[in-house]
Amino acid sequence: MTEKEKPNTEKKDNNLPAKYVPPADDYKYPLLEDLAGTPEFKETLENICTNITNSEVFRMMASEPEKSYIFVGEPGTGKTFALKAIRNTIMGQNPNTGFMPYDIGKYGTAYINVGAVNLQKFFDLGRKNANDGFNVIYWFDEIDALMSKRMSSNSHKEDDKVLECLMKNLQNINSYGVSEYFFGATNFPDALDKAAIRSGRIDRIITFPKPDEYGIKKAYGLKINSANTSFNKDYGAELNLFNDINIDKIVTASEGFNYADIEDVVKRSLRNNALKVVKSPDLLANIPQITEKQVLYEIDRLRKEKYETTRRPIGYKLK
């Protein structure tokens, strides 16, 4: 057998590298200033960054920073976006920070005993990073998949083993001098096992509310400004893509929307505007602007899709 024909017997390492320093461009957006919450809520998130980036000061004062958090709230309230902003802000201040998201598709399994073993390997890898001088941030989205109540209808023996492994590692994270930090997010806080979220395992549970009038207005402002900045950078011109928008009218029409809805409204408006240019290339010489009427149309369309189509029979075609 020639060298070329020899089978590859090298064992693939499906884990993250033992050391990981992200390139600078990886953590420029979003940052805390890109969040649309109230000043009081943003201060809560800023304090998380202060805890992690000043851990040595806490220890010098015979204390420990908060290390474990669970974000709770309805879908679309900004939990994942906020975690990215926290991550990027911390990495901007201390590049020796490793971010380890838990992928249940990669580590989860239906085989008995394997799920808990894979979860322990995940934490072992993070601990190795921490021992090498990194701040390690674990991120578990949909944490209720691993932290559901024992002896409940959606829990069985294998789930219990995974939960016990998770609780053991949470206690270790909260030990003195450990540079590991845990973040979980869930839409179902009532499903979490009480023992798993007790003091000594989880330091804080932070509730993400749906945006109020202030939050909706701030979110639209951020998304519209971001679109304008991106367009002007690529197109090489100073142009406001949104023309003569009465933001207060837009905010009123968006009552009850979450942050994901607001982002979707802006994306749909931009997409339809781009479609005009695709169909009429001559418009490139005079880029059309998005009107208030167009934005209100997208708000109304999204509201109908979200709250009306779910009550219609299968096969109903939205007009």
Side-chain angles (χ1 to χ4, degrees):
M1 183 179 287
T2 65
E3 186 71 19
K4 187 175 182 181
E5 294 173 326
K6 286 183 180 179
N8 183 8
T9 58
E10 182 182 351
K11 187 178 180 181
K12 290 184 178 180
D13 183 5
N14 292 324
N15 291 324
L16 297 174
K19 288 189 176 182
Y20 173 68
V21 178
D25 287 345
D26 276 4
Y27 52 85
K28 288 185 177 180
Y29 179 85
L31 298 174
L32 289 179
E33 55 262 34
D34 299 309
L35 301 180
T38 63
E40 294 78 16
F41 188 74
K42 289 176 71 173
E43 184 180 4
T44 298
L45 302 182
E46 288 168 1
N47 288 339
I48 294 176
C49 297
T50 301
N51 269 278
I52 296 175
T53 55
N54 293 278
S55 57
E56 293 305 318
V57 177
F58 282 88
R59 289 166 189 147
M60 182 181 70
M61 301 298 294
S63 180
E64 277 285 295
E66 293 178 339
K67 295 180 179 178
S68 48
Y69 304 85
I70 291 183
F71 294 168
V72 305
E74 295 180 20
T77 49
K79 300 183 294 295
T80 303
F81 191 75
L83 188 277
K84 289 179 181 178
I86 291 169
R87 174 201 65 185
N88 294 346
T89 300
I90 292 170
M91 286 182 172
Q93 298 172 12
N94 181 7
N96 287 330
T97 301
F99 181 71
M100 293 181 57
Y102 180 85
D103 184 351
I104 197 167
K106 177 179 179 180
Y107 293 99
T109 177
Y111 294 105
I112 296 175
N113 296 326
V114 178
V117 171
N118 286 349
L119 180 59
Q120 187 58 54
K121 287 180 179 178
F122 174 79
F123 280 113
D124 288 343
L125 177 61
R127 199 144 298 131
K128 185 180 187 304
N129 283 325
N131 291 336
D132 288 340
F134 279 68
N135 283 326
V136 176
I137 298 175
Y138 303 113
W139 170 242
F140 287 74
D141 205 359
E142 311 297 345
I143 188 61
D144 47 279
L146 301 180
M147 212 181 252
S148 60
K149 295 175 181 177
R150 286 167 288 188
M151 306 306 294
S152 63
S153 58
N154 62 338
S155 174
H156 55 76
K157 291 294 182 182
E158 182 60 21
D159 292 336
D160 291 351
K161 291 176 183 177
V162 171
L163 178 60
E164 288 163 9
C165 176
L166 180 59
M167 291 193 295
K168 181 188 74 173
N169 282 281
L170 283 172
Q171 283 186 247
N172 184 77
I173 289 169
N174 280 281
S175 301
Y176 184 82
V178 176
S179 297
E180 299 169 53
Y181 303 88
F182 175 91
F183 290 83
T186 179
N187 306 325
F188 307 103
D190 293 339
L192 303 182
D193 190 276
K194 290 184 178 179
I197 61 175
R198 69 160 172 81
S199 298
R201 291 191 175 121
I202 298 298
D203 288 315
R204 292 194 66 186
I205 296 176
I206 299 174
T207 301
F208 282 67
K210 292 183 74 171
D212 57 10
E213 185 176 316
Y214 171 88
I216 294 173
K217 188 172 185 177
K218 183 75 181 291
Y220 271 117
L222 288 169
K223 295 301 178 184
I224 289 173
N225 287 338
S226 176
N228 286 332
T229 300
S230 177
F231 171 77
N232 290 328
K233 180 181 178 181
D234 294 337
Y235 190 67
E238 292 295 325
L239 177 68
N240 187 349
L241 286 173
F242 291 79
N243 178 43
D244 196 24
I245 301 291
N246 183 334
I247 192 66
D248 291 328
K249 193 171 182 179
I250 299 299
V251 169
T252 300
S254 303
E255 183 180 1
F257 276 13
N258 57 41
Y259 291 117
D261 295 331
I262 293 165
E263 181 176 18
D264 201 14
V265 167
V266 175
K267 282 184 176 180
R268 289 176 181 219
S269 300
L270 291 166
R271 191 178 296 124
N272 286 335
N273 205 45
L275 188 59
K276 291 180 182 178
V277 176
V278 170
K279 291 181 176 181
S280 303
D282 57 299
L283 289 176
L284 279 171
N286 188 18
I287 298 294
Q289 291 176 292
I290 299 166
T291 65
E292 178 184 298
K293 183 178 179 180
Q294 288 172 285
V295 178
L296 289 172
Y297 169 78
E298 295 301 341
I299 291 172
D300 183 61
R301 189 161 73 99
L302 179 60
R303 191 180 295 280
K304 287 178 179 178
E305 289 177 8
K306 281 194 63 173
Y307 301 108
E308 295 182 17
T309 55
T310 54
R311 296 193 296 268
R312 289 169 177 158
I314 295 174
Y316 179 88
K317 185 177 179 181
L318 185 69
K319 295 179 180 180

